Amino acid sequence: MPVTPLTPRDPEEIGGHRLTGRIGEGGQGQVYLGETADGDRVAIKLLHTGDPLREAAAARRVSPFCTARVLETGEQDGVPFVVSEYIDGPTLRAVVEEQGPRHGAGLYRLAVGTATALAAIHEAGVTHRDFKPANVLLGPDGPRVIDFGIARATDATLTATGSVLGSPSYMAPEQLAGDAVGPAADVFAWGATIAYAANGRPPYGQDTIPAVMHRIVTGEPDLGALPGQLRALVADCLAKDAARRPLSRDVLLRLLEHTEAPISAPDALALGRATAVAPDIADDRTTRWTTMRLPAPAGPRKRNRMLLACGGVAVTALVIATAFAIRESGSSSAKTLPLPSPAGAPTTTAPPSRIDTATQVEQAIAAKRTASFKAKGAMSQSDDQFNASGRLQYRPGASTDYDLTVHNPEGGESEDSPRRLTLKDNTAQFSDMQDEVYSVAPRTDYSGMDPHVYMAMETRWVSSPHNVLALLRSTRKLRHASDGGTVTYRGVTSAAALSRKPAVAPFYKNFGNSKTEFTIVLSNDHLPRRLDIVFTTGLDTGEHLRSVYSAEYTEWGRSGIIAP
């Protein structure tokens, strides 16, 4: 950030720190560059309004993941000040204004770094309240968020002339309405900031304040060229209803594509920080998040071998011919249409990649979160069976929560009576025994566990969305068919491969290296309708044993939240 000389009106020191220049001035106060007694540079904000010291003290608890740490708070001559880490770098706003919109790996790093910062801030119980491009610094070690925990509600109050003290282009509807402001408002501001970074303009414009406020409250955001999966995530964050926006931690986990096992807050923040500062992230994940994918035209592929045999000349000719064809067409309206299927027959097409399919399903589930379900399963040559029904609540990056009733129809007197219980994180609790809590954390030996608790764990392993996603990502050969109302995917993998997935490993380890066939039926909006799994285990005698498990899903987004 540019530093200007001190003026005669400026103090020489604040809180024992020598001032060396001016960094900037905002609605809250003047920001100075200072030096500690050890010669370290710090940013010192001398606040003109409010009494923010309690919030600033809370901000000192924020873990230093992609944030500028608050080092000290105090008062000088009755005026509060805050000392924070100095980040030597321009603001995101300045970079976009001078260099244009961000894209590719740089945009992805920015999204991950700022989401990591918000997750760290919210984890400490602090709300930023003024997240915007001017409060994101692009330092030598990646993006950093500044001024967290200091902005106050007075920054969003209307003056007598109808202007807003603050940054209305990045304010959530509830913030403009003067309602209580919490972490959800920061998530809205994050979405608006990422849209700005990708397009060079805020998603609700930046003309007159009344016009901007009207668009935020009643209009739809202009996401412009925001690409790939990032577009869908930002749209979720810009929901008018604060309750429909994802949590900042879920935003981070979606960006990191962490869905296979629970992860602690410190581990998630550390992973986000490492990703945000990585010097080179030219991988498939970056492409998925920052590239707008266009469907390939349908039609037969011809003469592949001849083309490859002709070497570089043929490849060059193909590229030139394609370029001319695109230029000559001048329009995206020309399309190749597939031949119609016979009446009443399902349409079979080349499936999208397994990663694309899993990602679409994951996004659809994350948007709905809750569902009603039925599940059952039986291990061959064993009394290990279960029938279950109830509700589930998907949590990205964490164990799925359940409110279910389960029993073993062949389990004898102690197991065949249905019992209702809830699974939350790594604990289970019976509805009729509220004073007892059972651990369902992964272990190597499940003998001695209450049979209904173990059946509930099996139900979670089989029917959890994490299992659906693990299966979709477990094979490179997904067969795909559509009947107009649903899409069916079939695949073959091994239990051994799935036993390396932490979220479902305990279940698949029971089947060794058994052949694992699965069928997943999705609605046209990518939500699971049915899951079937068949394990085939070969014996030395040449015989084969088959174990069958299934789950059915309904009422996505309508089954209700599972209370703690």
Side-chain angles (χ1 to χ4, degrees), residues 182-349:
D186 288 348
V187 170
F188 183 96
W190 179 88
T193 296
I194 297 303
Y196 169 83
N199 296 308
R201 62 183 185 276
Y204 296 99
Q206 51 188 347
D207 44 354
T208 66
I209 289 177
V212 170
M213 294 172 64
H214 179 73
R215 293 189 200 106
I216 290 176
V217 174
T218 65
E220 295 300 320
D222 174 12
L223 299 184
L226 191 66
Q229 297 179 29
L230 198 53
R231 188 183 187 93
L233 178 58
V234 166
D236 288 347
C237 294
L238 295 177
K240 307 289 186 199
D241 183 356
R244 296 182 63 85
R245 295 174 208 145
L247 302 176
S248 57
R249 185 172 186 268
D250 292 343
V251 170
L252 174 58
L253 293 176
R254 279 175 66 177
L255 284 165
L256 297 175
E257 297 185 352
H258 185 94
T259 62
E260 295 185 356
I263 184 170
S264 67
D267 288 346
L269 296 174
L271 183 58
R273 169 69 173 162
T275 303
V277 302
D280 183 14
I281 319 180
D283 58 9
D284 290 342
R285 183 171 61 191
T286 304
T287 301
R288 287 194 297 276
W289 281 95
T290 62
T291 301
M292 186 70 74
R293 294 185 176 228
L294 300 177
R301 299 172 62 187
K302 298 181 180 179
R303 302 177 64 185
N304 284 346
R305 293 184 181 179
M306 182 178 295
L307 176 64
L308 293 175
C310 291
V313 175
V315 173
T316 304
L318 176 63
V319 171
I320 295 174
T322 302
F324 275 103
I326 293 172
R327 180 175 296 179
E328 288 294 320
S329 70
S331 171
S332 61
S333 61
K335 298 179 181 178
T336 303
L337 300 177
L339 294 175
S341 301
T347 301
T348 302
T349 61

Side-chain angles (χ1 to χ4, degrees), residues 25-50:
E25 185 171 9
Q28 296 171 347
Q30 176 69 49
V31 184
Y32 297 99
L33 178 63
E35 286 186 354
T36 67
D38 296 329
D40 296 328
R41 293 194 294 177
V42 291
I44 305 173
K45 174 171 280 192
L46 193 62
L47 295 142
H48 297 161
T49 60

Side-chain angles (χ1 to χ4, degrees), residues 98 168 446 452 498:
E98 294 174 7
Y446 291 91
H452 284 84
L498 289 160

Side-chain angles (χ1 to χ4, degrees), residues 349-434:
T349 61
S353 75
R354 62 194 176 98
I355 295 177
D356 283 349
T357 300
T359 299
Q360 291 173 335
V361 173
E362 182 177 14
Q363 290 177 347
I365 293 173
K368 298 295 185 180
R369 292 185 177 268
T370 63
S372 297
F373 79 95
K374 294 181 180 179
K376 60 182 179 180
M379 181 180 289
S380 181
Q381 303 295 309
S382 168
D383 293 332
D384 185 0
Q385 300 184 35
F386 68 86
N387 276 16
S389 62
R391 301 178 298 133
L392 65 83
Q393 180 176 327
Y394 172 68
R395 297 188 301 147
S399 299
T400 303
D401 293 339
Y402 279 81
D403 176 1
L404 77 163
T405 300
V406 65
H407 74 288
N408 182 347
E410 304 294 335
E413 185 176 350
S414 63
E415 299 179 25
D416 63 359
S417 297
R419 296 196 65 184
R420 182 179 176 183
L421 65 162
T422 56
L423 297 182
K424 297 283 290 185
D425 295 319
N426 285 326
T427 62
Q429 195 169 27
F430 288 100
S431 60
D432 57 355
M433 298 173 58
Q434 294 290 325

Side-chain angles (χ1 to χ4, degrees), residues 17 42-45 47 52-74 81-87 121 124 126-128 144-151:
H17 306 296
V42 291
I44 305 173
K45 174 171 280 192
L47 295 142
L53 295 184
R54 180 177 60 85
E55 292 188 34
R60 295 181 69 180
R61 301 195 301 267
V62 175
S63 300
F65 293 103
C66 301
T67 62
R69 291 175 297 154
V70 172
L71 305 175
E72 179 185 342
T73 61
F81 67 85
V82 176
V83 180
S84 62
E85 180 183 8
Y86 175 70
I87 308 300
I121 292 166
V126 177
T127 300
H128 192 296
R144 299 284 201 101
V145 173
I146 61 173
D147 274 2
F148 54 89
I150 299 173

